Amino acid sequence: MSSPQPPVPTSSTDAATPVPSDLQDERLIASRGVGGWVSSTWERVKSGDLGSLPVVVGLILIWGVFYALNPAFLSSRNLVNLTTQMVPIGTLALGVVLVLLLGEIDLSIGSMSGLSGAVLTVLFVNQGMNIWVAVVAALATGVVVGLVYGLIFNRFGVPSFVISLAGLLALLGFQLRVLGSEGTINIPFESSLVQFASQKFFADWFSYVIAVGVPMVYLLVRVVTNRRRAAAGLSAQPIAAMAIRSGLLALLLVVAVYVLNRDRGLSYMVALFLALVVIMDLVIRRTTWGRSVLAIGGNVEAARRAGINVKRVYLTVFVLCSTFAALGGIFAAARLASANQSSGGADTNLNAIAAAVIGGTSLFGGRGSAYSALLGILVIYSISNGLALLSVSADVRYVVTGAVLLLAVIIDSLSRRSRAAHGRA
Protein backbone atom coordinates (compact mmCIF):
# COMPACT_ATOMS: atom_id res chain seq x y z
CA MET A 1 0.00 0.00 0.00
CA SER A 2 1.51 3.28 -1.09
CA SER A 3 2.00 6.00 1.45
CA PRO A 4 -0.06 9.18 1.04
CA GLN A 5 1.55 11.86 -1.04
CA PRO A 6 2.55 15.03 0.81
CA PRO A 7 0.67 18.17 -0.11
CA VAL A 8 2.14 20.33 -2.83
CA PRO A 9 3.79 23.29 -1.14
CA THR A 10 2.54 26.77 -1.91
CA SER A 11 5.21 29.38 -2.39
CA SER A 12 5.20 32.29 -0.01
CA THR A 13 5.00 34.62 -2.99
CA ASP A 14 1.74 33.04 -4.19
CA ALA A 15 0.28 33.13 -0.70
CA ALA A 16 1.13 36.79 -0.30
CA THR A 17 -0.22 37.81 -3.70
CA PRO A 18 -3.52 39.63 -3.17
CA VAL A 19 -6.48 38.52 -5.23
CA PRO A 20 -8.15 41.42 -7.08
CA SER A 21 -11.49 42.35 -5.54
CA ASP A 22 -13.37 41.84 -8.82
CA LEU A 23 -11.94 38.32 -9.12
CA GLN A 24 -12.96 37.59 -5.53
CA ASP A 25 -16.52 38.65 -6.41
CA GLU A 26 -16.56 36.38 -9.47
CA ARG A 27 -15.28 33.39 -7.49
CA LEU A 28 -17.86 34.00 -4.75
CA ILE A 29 -20.73 34.20 -7.24
CA ALA A 30 -19.52 31.12 -9.10
CA SER A 31 -19.27 29.03 -5.92
CA ARG A 32 -22.40 30.14 -4.06
CA GLY A 33 -24.87 31.30 -6.70
CA VAL A 34 -27.49 33.77 -5.48
CA GLY A 35 -26.02 33.75 -1.98
CA GLY A 36 -22.64 34.63 -3.42
CA TRP A 37 -24.17 37.44 -5.47
CA VAL A 38 -25.82 38.89 -2.36
CA SER A 39 -22.61 38.54 -0.35
CA SER A 40 -20.45 40.15 -3.04
CA THR A 41 -22.92 43.03 -3.41
CA TRP A 42 -22.86 43.61 0.34
CA GLU A 43 -19.05 43.52 0.38
CA ARG A 44 -18.91 46.12 -2.40
CA VAL A 45 -21.25 48.40 -0.47
CA LYS A 46 -19.19 48.05 2.70
CA SER A 47 -16.02 48.89 0.76
CA GLY A 48 -17.50 52.16 -0.49
CA ASP A 49 -18.77 51.06 -3.92
CA LEU A 50 -22.20 52.55 -3.25
CA GLY A 51 -23.42 53.19 -6.79
CA SER A 52 -26.88 54.77 -6.77
CA LEU A 53 -27.79 53.52 -3.29
CA PRO A 54 -27.38 56.88 -1.45
CA VAL A 55 -29.55 58.81 -3.90
CA VAL A 56 -32.25 56.12 -3.94
CA VAL A 57 -32.39 56.13 -0.13
CA GLY A 58 -32.37 59.92 -0.14
CA LEU A 59 -35.20 60.05 -2.67
CA ILE A 60 -37.33 57.71 -0.55
CA LEU A 61 -36.72 59.88 2.52
CA ILE A 62 -37.53 63.09 0.63
CA TRP A 63 -40.79 61.68 -0.70
CA GLY A 64 -41.71 60.31 2.70
CA VAL A 65 -41.12 63.64 4.46
CA PHE A 66 -43.04 65.70 1.91
CA TYR A 67 -45.92 63.21 1.87
CA ALA A 68 -46.15 63.42 5.65
CA LEU A 69 -46.20 67.22 5.49
CA ASN A 70 -48.59 67.40 2.52
CA PRO A 71 -50.24 64.23 1.11
CA ALA A 72 -50.90 66.08 -2.15
CA PHE A 73 -47.19 65.66 -2.96
CA LEU A 74 -47.71 62.04 -4.06
CA SER A 75 -51.00 62.70 -5.81
CA SER A 76 -51.25 61.58 -9.43
CA ARG A 77 -51.69 65.13 -10.73
CA ASN A 78 -48.65 66.43 -8.89
CA LEU A 79 -46.44 63.53 -10.00
CA VAL A 80 -47.46 64.00 -13.64
CA ASN A 81 -46.56 67.68 -13.34
CA LEU A 82 -43.25 66.81 -11.64
CA THR A 83 -42.22 64.38 -14.37
CA THR A 84 -42.95 66.83 -17.20
CA GLN A 85 -41.22 69.71 -15.40
CA MET A 86 -37.99 67.78 -14.88
CA VAL A 87 -37.40 66.74 -18.50
CA PRO A 88 -35.69 69.90 -19.90
CA ILE A 89 -33.11 70.17 -17.09
CA GLY A 90 -32.80 66.39 -16.92
CA THR A 91 -31.78 66.34 -20.59
CA LEU A 92 -29.08 68.92 -19.87
CA ALA A 93 -27.92 66.78 -16.92
CA LEU A 94 -27.54 63.80 -19.26
CA GLY A 95 -24.94 65.74 -21.23
CA VAL A 96 -23.24 66.88 -18.02
CA VAL A 97 -22.85 63.24 -16.96
CA LEU A 98 -20.77 62.57 -20.07
CA VAL A 99 -18.28 65.41 -19.48
CA LEU A 100 -18.04 64.58 -15.78
CA LEU A 101 -17.15 60.99 -16.68
CA LEU A 102 -14.09 62.48 -18.39
CA GLY A 103 -13.31 64.60 -15.33
CA GLU A 104 -14.24 67.78 -17.23
CA ILE A 105 -17.08 70.30 -16.96
CA ASP A 106 -19.34 72.42 -19.18
CA LEU A 107 -20.65 75.62 -17.59
CA SER A 108 -22.41 76.88 -20.71
CA ILE A 109 -25.19 74.31 -20.97
CA GLY A 110 -27.80 76.78 -19.73
CA SER A 111 -26.84 79.40 -22.32
CA MET A 112 -26.73 76.69 -24.98
CA SER A 113 -30.26 75.63 -24.15
CA GLY A 114 -31.42 79.24 -24.26
CA LEU A 115 -29.78 79.80 -27.65
CA SER A 116 -31.31 76.65 -29.14
CA GLY A 117 -34.75 77.71 -27.92
CA ALA A 118 -34.23 81.13 -29.51
CA VAL A 119 -33.12 79.59 -32.82
CA LEU A 120 -36.13 77.29 -32.81
CA THR A 121 -38.72 80.01 -32.17
CA VAL A 122 -37.23 82.55 -34.58
CA LEU A 123 -37.04 80.06 -37.45
CA PHE A 124 -40.50 78.63 -36.81
CA VAL A 125 -42.49 81.69 -35.77
CA ASN A 126 -40.71 84.60 -37.46
CA GLN A 127 -39.32 82.87 -40.54
CA GLY A 128 -42.22 80.48 -41.14
CA MET A 129 -39.96 77.41 -41.35
CA ASN A 130 -41.36 73.91 -40.82
CA ILE A 131 -41.29 73.14 -37.09
CA TRP A 132 -39.23 69.96 -37.41
CA VAL A 133 -36.72 71.62 -39.73
CA ALA A 134 -36.38 74.33 -37.08
CA VAL A 135 -35.80 71.62 -34.45
CA VAL A 136 -33.00 70.12 -36.55
CA ALA A 137 -31.44 73.57 -37.00
CA ALA A 138 -31.54 74.15 -33.23
CA LEU A 139 -29.87 70.79 -32.61
CA ALA A 140 -27.26 71.58 -35.25
CA THR A 141 -26.41 74.72 -33.29
CA GLY A 142 -25.51 72.50 -30.35
CA VAL A 143 -23.36 70.28 -32.55
CA VAL A 144 -21.40 73.27 -33.88
CA VAL A 145 -20.80 74.68 -30.40
CA GLY A 146 -19.61 71.28 -29.13
CA LEU A 147 -17.23 70.99 -32.09
CA VAL A 148 -15.75 74.40 -31.29
CA TYR A 149 -15.26 73.45 -27.63
CA GLY A 150 -13.67 70.11 -28.50
CA LEU A 151 -11.31 71.59 -31.10
CA ILE A 152 -10.14 74.35 -28.74
CA PHE A 153 -9.63 71.82 -25.93
CA ASN A 154 -7.66 69.40 -28.12
CA ARG A 155 -5.64 72.01 -30.02
CA PHE A 156 -4.68 74.45 -27.28
CA GLY A 157 -5.22 72.48 -24.07
CA VAL A 158 -7.39 75.21 -22.54
CA PRO A 159 -9.21 73.86 -19.47
CA SER A 160 -12.85 73.01 -20.13
CA PHE A 161 -13.83 75.25 -17.22
CA VAL A 162 -12.41 78.29 -19.01
CA ILE A 163 -13.71 77.30 -22.46
CA SER A 164 -17.25 76.78 -21.24
CA LEU A 165 -17.17 79.90 -19.05
CA ALA A 166 -16.25 81.96 -22.11
CA GLY A 167 -18.88 80.05 -24.06
CA LEU A 168 -21.51 80.88 -21.46
CA LEU A 169 -21.03 84.60 -22.08
CA ALA A 170 -20.72 84.27 -25.87
CA LEU A 171 -23.80 82.07 -26.23
CA LEU A 172 -25.82 84.43 -24.05
CA GLY A 173 -24.83 87.23 -26.42
CA PHE A 174 -25.88 85.17 -29.44
CA GLN A 175 -29.18 84.36 -27.74
CA LEU A 176 -29.96 88.07 -27.22
CA ARG A 177 -28.91 88.80 -30.78
CA VAL A 178 -31.12 86.08 -32.27
CA LEU A 179 -34.17 87.15 -30.27
CA GLY A 180 -33.60 90.80 -31.18
CA SER A 181 -35.78 93.57 -29.83
CA GLU A 182 -38.81 91.32 -29.36
CA GLY A 183 -37.33 89.69 -26.27
CA THR A 184 -40.05 87.04 -26.08
CA ILE A 185 -41.42 84.89 -28.90
CA ASN A 186 -44.47 82.69 -28.33
CA ILE A 187 -44.95 79.36 -30.09
CA PRO A 188 -48.53 78.67 -31.24
CA PHE A 189 -50.16 76.32 -28.75
CA GLU A 190 -51.65 74.21 -31.54
CA SER A 191 -48.23 73.46 -33.05
CA SER A 192 -47.18 69.80 -33.03
CA LEU A 193 -44.11 70.49 -30.88
CA VAL A 194 -46.06 72.16 -28.08
CA GLN A 195 -48.70 69.45 -28.25
CA PHE A 196 -45.97 66.82 -28.02
CA ALA A 197 -44.49 68.42 -24.91
CA SER A 198 -47.64 69.23 -22.95
CA GLN A 199 -50.69 67.45 -24.34
CA LYS A 200 -49.62 64.07 -25.70
CA PHE A 201 -49.93 61.13 -23.29
CA PHE A 202 -49.87 57.38 -23.91
CA ALA A 203 -53.03 55.33 -23.58
CA ASP A 204 -53.26 53.53 -20.24
CA TRP A 205 -52.88 50.06 -21.74
CA PHE A 206 -49.79 51.03 -23.73
CA SER A 207 -48.15 52.49 -20.63
CA TYR A 208 -48.57 49.12 -18.91
CA VAL A 209 -47.10 47.37 -21.96
CA ILE A 210 -44.01 49.58 -21.60
CA ALA A 211 -43.85 48.95 -17.84
CA VAL A 212 -43.85 45.18 -18.34
CA GLY A 213 -41.88 45.11 -21.60
CA VAL A 214 -38.84 47.02 -20.35
CA PRO A 215 -38.01 44.51 -17.55
CA MET A 216 -38.54 41.62 -19.97
CA VAL A 217 -36.09 43.14 -22.45
CA TYR A 218 -33.66 43.77 -19.60
CA LEU A 219 -33.86 40.11 -18.51
CA LEU A 220 -33.38 38.90 -22.08
CA VAL A 221 -30.31 41.08 -22.56
CA ARG A 222 -28.82 39.86 -19.28
CA VAL A 223 -29.42 36.21 -20.22
CA VAL A 224 -27.70 36.70 -23.59
CA THR A 225 -24.78 38.45 -21.87
CA ASN A 226 -24.47 35.60 -19.38
CA ARG A 227 -24.30 33.04 -22.18
CA ARG A 228 -21.54 34.99 -23.88
CA ARG A 229 -19.59 35.25 -20.63
CA ALA A 230 -20.00 31.53 -19.98
CA ALA A 231 -18.81 30.75 -23.52
CA ALA A 232 -15.72 32.89 -22.86
CA GLY A 233 -14.99 31.06 -19.60
CA LEU A 234 -16.04 33.96 -17.38
CA SER A 235 -18.34 33.93 -14.37
CA ALA A 236 -22.03 34.65 -14.94
CA GLN A 237 -24.65 36.21 -12.71
CA PRO A 238 -27.19 33.67 -11.35
CA ILE A 239 -30.44 33.48 -13.30
CA ALA A 240 -32.39 33.81 -10.05
CA ALA A 241 -30.63 37.09 -9.23
CA MET A 242 -31.45 38.50 -12.65
CA ALA A 243 -35.07 37.38 -12.32
CA ILE A 244 -35.34 39.09 -8.91
CA ARG A 245 -33.98 42.36 -10.30
CA SER A 246 -36.29 42.20 -13.31
CA GLY A 247 -39.29 41.45 -11.10
CA LEU A 248 -38.53 44.38 -8.78
CA LEU A 249 -38.09 46.68 -11.79
CA ALA A 250 -41.40 45.52 -13.26
CA LEU A 251 -43.17 46.08 -9.94
CA LEU A 252 -41.73 49.58 -9.62
CA LEU A 253 -42.68 50.55 -13.19
CA VAL A 254 -46.19 49.12 -12.95
CA VAL A 255 -46.86 51.03 -9.71
CA ALA A 256 -45.48 54.23 -11.25
CA VAL A 257 -47.63 53.82 -14.37
CA TYR A 258 -50.71 53.07 -12.24
CA VAL A 259 -50.23 56.29 -10.28
CA LEU A 260 -49.62 58.40 -13.41
CA ASN A 261 -52.59 56.86 -15.23
CA ARG A 262 -54.92 58.01 -12.48
CA ASP A 263 -54.36 61.50 -13.90
CA ARG A 264 -53.19 62.13 -17.47
CA GLY A 265 -50.70 59.28 -17.74
CA LEU A 266 -47.21 58.97 -19.20
CA SER A 267 -46.21 61.94 -21.34
CA TYR A 268 -44.61 61.47 -24.76
CA MET A 269 -41.85 63.88 -23.74
CA VAL A 270 -41.15 62.03 -20.50
CA ALA A 271 -41.03 58.71 -22.36
CA LEU A 272 -38.52 60.18 -24.85
CA PHE A 273 -36.32 61.40 -22.00
CA LEU A 274 -36.41 57.99 -20.30
CA ALA A 275 -35.55 56.33 -23.62
CA LEU A 276 -32.54 58.65 -24.00
CA VAL A 277 -31.36 57.73 -20.51
CA VAL A 278 -31.60 54.00 -21.25
CA ILE A 279 -29.88 54.37 -24.62
CA MET A 280 -27.01 56.42 -23.20
CA ASP A 281 -26.57 53.94 -20.36
CA LEU A 282 -26.22 51.12 -22.89
CA VAL A 283 -23.80 53.22 -24.95
CA ILE A 284 -21.64 53.96 -21.91
CA ARG A 285 -21.57 50.40 -20.61
CA ARG A 286 -21.74 48.31 -23.78
CA THR A 287 -19.78 50.11 -26.49
CA THR A 288 -16.08 50.60 -27.06
CA TRP A 289 -16.63 54.35 -27.07
CA GLY A 290 -18.37 54.26 -23.70
CA ARG A 291 -15.64 52.16 -22.11
CA SER A 292 -13.09 54.58 -23.57
CA VAL A 293 -14.86 57.48 -21.85
CA LEU A 294 -14.69 55.67 -18.50
CA ALA A 295 -11.05 54.72 -19.06
CA ILE A 296 -10.04 58.30 -19.86
CA GLY A 297 -11.90 59.59 -16.82
CA GLY A 298 -10.09 57.04 -14.67
CA ASN A 299 -6.59 57.73 -16.00
CA VAL A 300 -6.10 59.67 -19.21
CA GLU A 301 -2.44 58.74 -19.63
CA ALA A 302 -3.10 55.03 -19.15
CA ALA A 303 -5.94 55.26 -21.68
CA ARG A 304 -3.66 56.96 -24.20
CA ARG A 305 -0.99 54.28 -23.77
CA ALA A 306 -3.66 51.60 -24.23
CA GLY A 307 -4.26 52.93 -27.73
CA ILE A 308 -7.43 54.95 -27.15
CA ASN A 309 -7.84 57.98 -29.41
CA VAL A 310 -8.21 60.40 -26.51
CA LYS A 311 -8.72 63.54 -28.60
CA ARG A 312 -11.51 61.98 -30.60
CA VAL A 313 -13.31 60.89 -27.43
CA TYR A 314 -13.02 64.38 -25.94
CA LEU A 315 -14.40 65.89 -29.15
CA THR A 316 -17.39 63.55 -29.31
CA VAL A 317 -18.24 64.08 -25.63
CA PHE A 318 -18.22 67.86 -25.96
CA VAL A 319 -20.43 67.59 -29.05
CA LEU A 320 -22.89 65.29 -27.27
CA CYS A 321 -23.01 67.52 -24.20
CA SER A 322 -23.86 70.63 -26.24
CA THR A 323 -26.36 68.68 -28.33
CA PHE A 324 -28.17 67.44 -25.22
CA ALA A 325 -28.17 71.03 -23.94
CA ALA A 326 -29.75 72.16 -27.22
CA LEU A 327 -32.35 69.39 -26.97
CA GLY A 328 -33.12 70.46 -23.40
CA GLY A 329 -33.66 74.00 -24.65
CA ILE A 330 -36.09 72.69 -27.28
CA PHE A 331 -38.00 70.76 -24.60
CA ALA A 332 -38.15 73.87 -22.41
CA ALA A 333 -39.39 76.09 -25.24
CA ALA A 334 -42.00 73.48 -26.21
CA ARG A 335 -43.24 72.99 -22.65
CA LEU A 336 -43.55 76.75 -22.01
CA ALA A 337 -44.65 77.50 -25.60
CA SER A 338 -42.16 80.37 -25.77
CA ALA A 339 -38.54 81.47 -25.65
CA ASN A 340 -37.22 84.69 -24.18
CA GLN A 341 -34.07 86.45 -23.05
CA SER A 342 -34.09 84.66 -19.68
CA SER A 343 -34.43 81.16 -21.17
CA GLY A 344 -31.61 78.96 -19.91
CA GLY A 345 -30.71 81.51 -17.25
CA ALA A 346 -31.26 81.70 -13.49
CA ASP A 347 -30.42 78.33 -11.90
CA THR A 348 -30.52 76.21 -15.07
CA ASN A 349 -26.76 75.57 -15.11
CA LEU A 350 -26.55 74.85 -11.41
CA ASN A 351 -29.52 72.47 -11.38
CA ALA A 352 -28.24 70.46 -14.34
CA ILE A 353 -24.74 70.06 -12.89
CA ALA A 354 -26.12 69.40 -9.42
CA ALA A 355 -28.46 66.73 -10.79
CA ALA A 356 -25.57 64.81 -12.36
CA VAL A 357 -23.50 64.96 -9.17
CA ILE A 358 -26.36 64.25 -6.77
CA GLY A 359 -27.38 61.32 -8.97
CA GLY A 360 -24.03 59.63 -8.36
CA THR A 361 -21.63 60.77 -11.10
CA SER A 362 -18.20 61.44 -9.61
CA LEU A 363 -16.62 64.88 -10.00
CA PHE A 364 -13.28 63.08 -10.18
CA GLY A 365 -14.15 61.28 -13.42
CA GLY A 366 -14.41 57.64 -14.41
CA ARG A 367 -17.46 56.70 -12.33
CA GLY A 368 -21.10 57.38 -13.06
CA SER A 369 -24.10 56.37 -15.09
CA ALA A 370 -26.68 57.88 -17.39
CA TYR A 371 -29.20 57.03 -14.68
CA SER A 372 -27.47 59.65 -12.52
CA ALA A 373 -29.21 62.32 -14.59
CA LEU A 374 -32.61 60.74 -13.96
CA LEU A 375 -32.13 60.13 -10.23
CA GLY A 376 -30.49 63.50 -9.62
CA ILE A 377 -33.14 65.52 -11.40
CA LEU A 378 -35.83 63.59 -9.52
CA VAL A 379 -34.20 64.63 -6.24
CA ILE A 380 -33.88 68.30 -7.23
CA TYR A 381 -37.40 68.66 -8.59
CA SER A 382 -38.87 66.67 -5.70
CA ILE A 383 -37.31 69.18 -3.30
CA SER A 384 -38.43 72.14 -5.40
CA ASN A 385 -41.94 70.79 -5.92
CA GLY A 386 -42.39 69.73 -2.29
CA LEU A 387 -41.24 73.08 -0.91
CA ALA A 388 -43.53 74.89 -3.36
CA LEU A 389 -46.50 72.85 -2.10
CA LEU A 390 -45.56 73.91 1.42
CA SER A 391 -45.42 77.56 0.27
CA VAL A 392 -41.75 77.83 1.23
CA SER A 393 -39.89 80.72 -0.40
CA ALA A 394 -37.30 80.27 -3.15
CA ASP A 395 -34.39 81.24 -0.89
CA VAL A 396 -34.98 78.18 1.29
CA ARG A 397 -35.20 75.97 -1.81
CA TYR A 398 -31.76 77.16 -2.95
CA VAL A 399 -30.27 76.54 0.50
CA VAL A 400 -31.72 73.01 0.69
CA THR A 401 -30.59 72.12 -2.85
CA GLY A 402 -27.09 73.43 -2.09
CA ALA A 403 -26.92 71.38 1.10
CA VAL A 404 -27.99 68.23 -0.76
CA LEU A 405 -25.34 68.88 -3.43
CA LEU A 406 -22.63 69.32 -0.80
CA LEU A 407 -23.73 66.12 0.94
CA ALA A 408 -23.56 64.22 -2.37
CA VAL A 409 -20.00 65.40 -3.01
CA ILE A 410 -18.95 64.49 0.54
CA ILE A 411 -20.39 60.98 0.10
CA ASP A 412 -18.57 60.67 -3.24
CA SER A 413 -15.26 61.72 -1.67
CA LEU A 414 -15.64 59.35 1.28
CA SER A 415 -16.67 56.40 -0.90
CA ARG A 416 -13.71 57.11 -3.20
CA ARG A 417 -11.32 56.90 -0.25
CA SER A 418 -12.97 53.72 0.98
CA ARG A 419 -12.75 52.09 -2.46
CA ALA A 420 -9.05 52.96 -2.63
CA ALA A 421 -8.44 51.48 0.82
CA HIS A 422 -10.22 48.25 -0.21
CA GLY A 423 -8.53 47.98 -3.61
CA ARG A 424 -11.64 48.87 -5.62
CA ALA A 425 -10.63 52.34 -6.85
Side-chain angles (χ1 to χ4, degrees):
M1 181 175 179
S2 60
S3 60
Q5 297 294 323
V8 178
T10 303
S11 67
S12 59
T13 303
D14 292 338
T17 302
V19 179
S21 55
D22 289 343
L23 184 56
Q24 293 180 29
D25 293 340
E26 290 194 2
R27 289 177 176 176
L28 191 59
I29 293 173
S31 62
R32 294 174 53 190
V34 176
W37 172 70
V38 173
S39 298
S40 65
T41 301
W42 176 242
E43 289 298 323
R44 295 179 74 88
V45 170
K46 289 198 300 182
S47 68
D49 195 356
L50 302 177
S52 299
L53 182 61
V55 67
V56 172
V57 173
L59 191 60
I60 294 173
L61 292 176
I62 290 170
W63 283 22
V65 169
F66 282 127
Y67 177 75
L69 296 175
N70 188 342
F73 176 77
L74 290 182
S75 66
S76 299
R77 177 169 294 275
N78 189 60
L79 290 180
V80 170
N81 291 334
L82 190 153
T83 55
T84 55
Q85 290 168 0
M86 74 179 189
V87 170
I89 306 298
T91 306
L92 270 67
L94 192 54
V96 174
V97 167
L98 295 176
V99 291
L100 287 181
L101 287 176
L102 289 177
E104 303 296 335
I105 193 64
D106 187 343
L107 300 177
S108 67
I109 48 176
S111 296
M112 182 66 251
S113 68
L115 176 60
S116 70
V119 170
L120 169 71
T121 54
V122 167
L123 292 179
F124 175 56
V125 178
N126 291 1
Q127 304 298 323
M129 188 176 291
N130 178 274
I131 183 63
W132 300 111
V133 175
V135 167
V136 172
L139 289 175
T141 306
V143 173
V144 171
V145 171
L147 282 172
V148 172
Y149 286 0
L151 291 173
I152 293 175
F153 183 87
N154 287 333
R155 179 67 180 82
F156 302 105
V158 181
S160 58
F161 178 91
V162 177
I163 297 173
S164 57
L165 183 60
L168 182 154
L169 299 173
L171 295 177
L172 178 58
F174 283 127
Q175 177 183 348
L176 299 178
R177 180 72 175 181
V178 169
L179 289 172
S181 58
E182 294 183 60
T184 300
I185 301 177
N186 295 319
I187 304 175
F189 189 77
E190 63 274 9
S191 67
S192 55
L193 184 62
V194 174
Q195 292 290 308
F196 169 83
S198 59
Q199 297 297 316
K200 295 293 185 180
F201 294 85
F202 288 109
D204 291 358
W205 67 269
F206 191 76
S207 299
Y208 284 114
V209 169
I210 296 175
V212 175
V214 168
M216 291 180 63
V217 172
Y218 168 79
L219 181 60
L220 178 62
V221 170
R222 296 299 301 178
V223 169
V224 172
T225 301
N226 263 16
R227 289 180 178 177
R228 291 178 178 175
R229 289 180 62 86
L234 301 173
S235 65
Q237 195 177 83
I239 296 293
M242 294 187 295
I244 291 173
R245 296 179 67 173
S246 299
L248 291 176
L249 177 60
L251 178 62
L252 175 64
L253 293 179
V254 167
V255 170
V257 166
Y258 169 76
V259 174
L260 295 177
N261 282 345
R262 293 179 65 187
D263 188 60
R264 285 158 290 172
L266 179 64
S267 165
Y268 281 19
M269 185 174 68
V270 174
L272 177 57
F273 170 62
L274 296 177
L276 289 173
V277 171
V278 173
I279 291 171
M280 289 310 303
D281 177 70
L282 292 174
V283 169
I284 292 171
R285 293 189 300 108
R286 300 284 182 175
T287 67
T288 302
W289 177 85
R291 289 190 288 269
S292 298
V293 171
L294 295 173
I296 293 172
N299 190 318
V300 61
E301 186 57 34
R304 182 179 289 109
R305 294 187 179 187
I308 296 174
N309 190 330
V310 173
K311 289 187 175 181
R312 183 171 62 189
V313 173
Y314 275 120
L315 182 64
T316 54
V317 167
F318 279 118
V319 168
L320 281 173
C321 181
S322 292
T323 304
F324 277 122
L327 181 59
I330 293 170
F331 285 153
R335 193 178 73 83
L336 299 174
S338 69
N340 55 56
Q341 294 176 342
S342 63
S343 296
D347 56 354
T348 301
N349 266 347
L350 299 179
N351 280 340
I353 296 172
V357 177
I358 291 172
T361 300
S362 175
L363 284 170
F364 304 101
R367 298 187 71 88
S369 164
Y371 291 106
S372 299
L374 173 61
L375 294 173
I377 204 62
L378 267 175
V379 169
I380 288 178
Y381 270 82
S382 294
I383 293 173
S384 177
N385 182 280
L387 293 178
L389 288 177
L390 297 174
S391 300
V392 176
S393 58
D395 55 342
V396 176
R397 187 193 72 187
Y398 287 132
V399 171
V400 173
T401 304
V404 172
L405 173 60
L406 179 60
L407 179 62
V409 176
I410 291 174
I411 292 175
D412 178 38
S413 299
L414 293 177
S415 63
R416 187 166 175 262
R417 292 180 187 176
S418 180
R419 289 195 306 270
H422 290 81
R424 295 181 181 271

